[in-house]
Amino acid sequence: MRLALQEARAAQLAGEVPVGAVVECGGQVIAAAHNERETRGDPTAHAEILALQRAARALGRRRLDGCTMYVTLEPCPMCAGALAISGIERVYFGAYEPKMGCAGSVYDLPADRALGTCIPCIGGLLEAECAALMRSFFGNKRE
């Protein structure tokens, strides 16, 4: 999660919402990313999506069986859906997102057996640090 926080800080420096994501497989980090929506002009360039893409390229396969994602903010509906179809084994996230979080707060899409998935999503990992980064970013935006 510390690496995901580093990615989130890089996003903040680039003027992006500070979310970072890391994919680990077999005890090794195989992908890392941060939000690049503003930089790319792409509404889908969320940290989780970019990290999944990089992980798939690193492994040479689309299924991420045996991999774990660490992300600083609870995934939104789009990212939770991507995680659900990626085959990733587990997701750890930092701060909860009570308005759009779809890994337990508003809905738990990756664990919805009706979709054929059951990916455990565990929140609260380094929650205070992750939440402080988000508060700082949006506090500065409002000033």
Side-chain angles (χ1 to χ4, degrees):
M1 185 59 86
R2 295 246 177 248
L3 291 174
L5 272 164
Q6 287 178 10
E7 286 289 331
R9 289 183 187 102
Q12 186 172 26
L13 289 174
E16 301 280 353
V17 175
V19 178
V22 171
V23 177
E24 170 270 320
C25 195
Q28 294 189 329
V29 172
I30 60 166
H34 58 266
N35 275 359
E36 295 184 23
R37 295 182 320 164
E38 302 303 322
T39 303
R40 293 180 181 217
D42 179 352
T44 68
H46 288 205
E48 300 96 322
I49 301 293
L50 298 174
L52 289 172
Q53 291 171 346
R54 292 172 187 169
R57 274 195 301 274
L59 294 174
R61 64 180 199 248
R62 71 168 189 83
R63 296 277 308 165
L64 300 179
D65 301 313
C67 297
T68 298
M69 176 174 282
Y70 297 84
V71 60
T72 57
L73 185 66
E74 182 179 0
C76 72
M78 175 181 69
C79 293
L83 288 162
I85 64 172
S86 74
I88 206 151
E89 189 172 295
R90 176 172 281 108
V91 176
Y92 292 97
F93 65 87
Y96 287 85
E97 190 6 302
K99 294 180 184 170
M100 293 284 290
C102 279
S105 287
V106 175
Y107 181 60
D108 195 352
L109 193 149
D112 189 337
R113 291 187 189 276
L115 300 175
T117 64
C118 190
I119 300 165
C121 294
I122 299 99
L125 194 61
L126 298 180
E127 181 177 9
E129 288 179 62
C130 294
L133 195 56
M134 295 297 287
R135 277 193 307 277
S136 163
F137 177 80
F138 285 109
N140 289 337
K141 286 281 189 196
R142 289 182 186 110
E143 289 179 0

